[in-house]
Amino acid sequence: MKNKKEINKSLKLAQKGDVQAQYDLGRHYKDLASKEKYKDNKEKINLSFVEKNNNESANWFLMAAEQGFPDAQAEIAFNYFITKNERLAKKWSKKASKQGNKLGQVVLGQLVIKNDPDQGFDLIKKSAEQGQALGIYELARCYFNGVGTKKNYDEGLRWAKSFAKIRKKPRHMRTVGDLILPHNKKEALKWYKKAGEEGGPETHFKLAYLYIYGPVVKQDLKKAAEWLKKAEKTNDPELLLKIARIRLSIITNGLTNEKKIEEKIKIGKEYLDALKKSSKYGNAKAMYMLARAMEIGSGWFIKEDQKEAMKWYKLASDKGHSEARKEMGFYLYDGKIKDGDRKEGLRLVSLAAEQGDKRAQLTLADGYAFGHSGLLEINTEKAFFWAKKAVKEKDPSWSGVTNDPRITTVDPYLKIAQSFLAGCYADGRGVKKNNKLAFKYFMLAAKGGYSRAQYLVSRFYFQGYGIKKDF
């Protein structure tokens, strides 16, 4: 609709039940939302304007859909599909598909392809052969990944190119690059370069990634840095987090010149800047990573700052980040937060312990073994209970991977828990004294590299505790 006069005319007709006018209004408000959402300056996107127009669009589409208008039914189906409401997406896409609607066919195809690959593929192909852009894109994806059909790279590329002929904007060139990237990095690079400057921050990030890791282009950290700088001009918190992580990987994987410490410092500061910006836009993961960085510190690009770390842990915790909530629990429990609620700290640590976190379980074991500043009274049975739990249970939060330079890729708390449990058996703390079991767990901890346990194993051999004397 070109002007206010046309909009008012359609509005009057739509209010009287004219189905075409209702659909046209739906399209008008959807186009307004899309124009705002995809404008070049991402910093100035009015998200409330986008949401308001999307809601208005959905209302008019629904009115037309309920009168049996297939194009509106397909739009409603697509809206439900992208918001993960499969039941209603299937309901409306079936109605639209029965009337031959191309968008309805591809939406239904995507919904059924998992359980019925043949039917899903046929629907998507039918839509693509009629020139529907989403159908063409999804058909290319089916051929690339072998979904509903045999893998066929050439067919995938042919349909990906067809999509680019219909959708000619730079962001669509980037979409084609994303589609091809897992299968042919060299071909994907061509499409990212086509998108170029106007492809937006996502494209800039992908180009930076390829210049860092290749292998289709010669590694060029200078060019990568230029593209990352452009990619940072976004308010997308997830993309900013990716930028932060890629910068951390440049440092930790030794991709910088080891002799130039100032180069590492510069990238380290850029890593922190990206984390801070992502955090500013509300990304709880970035807040948590920022807190971890400040808690641990680094001699060459960030100073240890417990106060700042606590601030970011709290912000991430308030956003619902489970690891941050756990860290807040430890800070409160240990009285590191001035005027903090230590009982709340105990509650959070206990919750983490119940969920299998070894550090939390050890914290409770230690607290019950020796008492903890008025929060916990000595209770050796409970100390033994939590120590045994820490040894026997697998920690669901431990992935075997860590960015913390102080700990190895072996669960750092298991060997401590083993040694603690051994001490319970050796001293008869909360359990009947048993030197054989004490030796067993000290040996496990010693093999895990725990130095105190190694010393105690040697003593057990000297004294013949739980094992035959062996000097």
Side-chain angles (χ1 to χ4, degrees):
M1 295 182 191
K2 295 177 182 178
N3 53 51
K4 198 172 181 179
K5 189 176 178 181
E6 281 186 25
I7 295 167
N8 287 334
K9 182 182 176 182
S10 290
L11 187 59
K12 286 177 184 177
L13 289 169
Q15 287 169 341
K16 290 177 181 177
D18 186 297
V19 71
Q20 184 65 56
Q22 289 169 345
Y23 174 77
D24 289 343
L25 282 171
R27 286 293 323 170
H28 168 70
Y29 287 112
K30 182 179 179 177
D31 291 344
L32 284 178
S34 295
K35 192 175 179 182
E36 178 68 19
K37 186 178 178 181
Y38 294 112
K39 68 183 183 183
D40 293 335
N41 191 340
K42 299 290 180 185
E43 296 278 358
K44 293 184 179 178
I45 290 173
N46 186 335
L47 294 176
S48 61
F49 177 86
V50 173
E51 185 180 5
K52 181 184 173 185
N53 282 284
N54 274 333
N55 289 339
E56 192 70 26
S57 166
N59 288 336
W60 288 112
F61 280 145
L62 186 57
M63 287 182 198
E66 286 172 342
Q67 292 195 69
F69 197 69
D71 291 356
Q73 290 170 339
E75 291 288 352
I76 288 292
F78 182 70
N79 285 346
Y80 281 124
F81 179 74
I82 60 175
T83 55
K84 312 292 185 190
N85 188 330
E86 289 194 11
R87 184 180 66 82
L88 289 174
K90 190 174 280 189
K91 170 190 167 181
W92 288 107
S93 60
K94 276 183 178 178
K95 288 176 182 287
S97 184
K98 277 181 182 177
Q99 297 189 68
N101 182 273
K102 297 176 284 186
L103 177 59
Q105 288 166 345
V106 67
V107 171
L108 185 59
Q110 289 177 90
L111 287 165
V112 302
I113 200 163
K114 186 177 178 181
N115 295 322
D116 190 340
D118 291 339
Q119 187 195 3
F121 179 78
D122 287 345
L123 284 163
I124 290 168
K125 191 177 182 186
K126 190 183 287 185
S127 171
E129 287 171 344
Q130 295 175 79
Q132 212 287 326
L134 180 60
I136 292 169
Y137 172 85
E138 287 299 326
L139 185 60
R141 201 154 67 92
C142 285
Y143 278 121
F144 278 133
N145 299 318
V147 178
T149 186
K150 286 183 180 179
K151 277 189 180 182
N152 188 326
Y153 173 79
D154 291 336
E155 274 298 287
L157 185 60
R158 181 171 79 83
W159 285 103
K161 287 178 177 178
S162 295
F163 174 80
K165 285 178 184 177
I166 296 173
R167 294 283 189 261
K168 298 178 182 180
K169 291 183 179 178
R171 62 187 170 90
H172 296 123
M173 301 302 107
R174 185 200 78 220
T175 300
V176 172
D178 291 345
L179 194 60
I180 297 168
L181 184 62
H183 314 284
N184 187 331
K185 289 184 173 64
K186 192 173 182 179
E187 182 66 27
L189 180 64
K190 291 179 189 175
W191 291 93
Y192 290 138
K193 283 183 174 178
K194 281 183 183 181
E197 294 283 350
E198 295 177 21
E202 279 282 357
T203 303
H204 304 156
F205 174 79
K206 291 285 170 54
L207 282 164
Y209 180 91
L210 289 171
Y211 276 114
I212 293 167
Y213 298 110
V216 294
V217 286
K218 187 179 177 182
Q219 188 183 79
D220 190 330
L221 293 181
K222 190 175 178 182
K223 278 188 178 178
E226 289 169 5
W227 284 114
L228 282 176
K229 204 75 182 168
K230 289 170 182 174
E232 268 189 330
K233 293 174 183 176
T234 179
N235 60 359
D236 180 346
E238 286 297 328
L239 180 57
L240 287 162
L241 185 58
K242 285 181 188 176
I243 292 166
R245 281 176 168 155
I246 207 172
R247 282 190 165 136
L248 181 62
S249 114
I250 290 170
I251 299 165
T252 55
N253 292 327
L255 296 173
T256 56
N257 188 330
E258 290 293 331
K259 294 178 181 177
K260 292 184 179 178
I261 191 66
E262 67 273 12
E263 189 180 345
K264 275 194 166 188
I265 292 170
K266 179 176 176 289
I267 296 169
K269 285 179 177 176
E270 289 170 341
Y271 159 69
L272 284 176
D273 288 344
L275 275 186
K276 285 175 181 176
K277 197 173 176 186
S278 180
S279 299
K280 173 188 165 186
Y281 289 117
N283 191 311
K285 289 179 197 170
M287 292 173 186
Y288 174 71
M289 287 175 69
L290 193 54
R292 290 287 291 157
M294 290 179 170
E295 182 189 12
I296 297 163
S298 166
W300 45 271
F301 77 87
I302 181 171
K303 290 180 181 177
E304 185 181 325
D305 190 333
Q306 296 294 317
K307 193 175 178 182
E308 273 294 292
M310 281 186 273
K311 179 186 104 174
W312 287 108
Y313 275 136
K314 184 169 189 321
L315 287 168
S317 177
D318 291 344
K319 284 269 182 184
H321 193 283
S322 59
E323 288 296 306
R325 191 183 297 122
K326 183 173 69 181
E327 291 298 330
M328 277 300 298
F330 290 124
Y331 272 106
L332 288 165
Y333 177 82
D334 291 330
K336 290 181 179 177
I337 299 177
K338 190 179 178 182
D339 301 322
D341 186 344
R342 295 182 66 229
K343 285 184 178 178
E344 173 63 7
L346 176 59
R347 187 187 74 79
L348 292 171
V349 169
S350 299
L351 181 63
E354 286 162 8
Q355 291 171 346
D357 183 84
K358 288 195 189 307
R359 182 182 168 197
Q361 289 168 340
L362 274 170
T363 300
L364 291 181
D366 186 76
Y368 281 119
F370 307 108
H372 189 74
S373 308
L375 268 184
L376 292 175
E377 292 183 2
I378 292 174
N379 185 322
T380 55
E381 285 78 14
K382 285 188 177 180
F384 173 76
F385 169 82
W386 284 113
K388 191 174 182 182
K389 243 177 141 44
V391 169
K392 298 291 184 183
E393 288 186 0
K394 186 178 179 182
D395 185 345
S397 68
W398 181 250
S399 63
V401 179
T402 176
N403 288 327
D404 187 338
R406 301 171 301 180
I407 57 181
T408 67
T409 53
V410 177
D411 186 336
Y413 298 109
L414 177 60
K415 56 192 175 186
I416 304 171
Q418 288 165 339
S419 183
F420 194 103
L421 184 62
C424 290
Y425 282 117
D427 299 334
R429 191 167 58 234
V431 67
K432 190 177 178 180
K433 190 170 180 175
N434 187 324
N435 280 334
K436 282 188 177 181
L437 286 173
F439 178 79
K440 171 188 171 181
Y441 286 109
F442 275 136
M443 180 58 84
L444 286 169
K447 286 179 177 177
Y450 193 43
S451 58
R452 174 171 168 74
Q454 289 166 345
Y455 164 72
L456 288 167
V457 164
S458 70
R459 279 196 62 195
F460 270 55
Y461 273 120
F462 275 124
Q463 301 295 333
Y465 294 150
I467 191 74
K468 189 179 177 181
K469 277 187 182 184
D470 189 340
F471 293 100

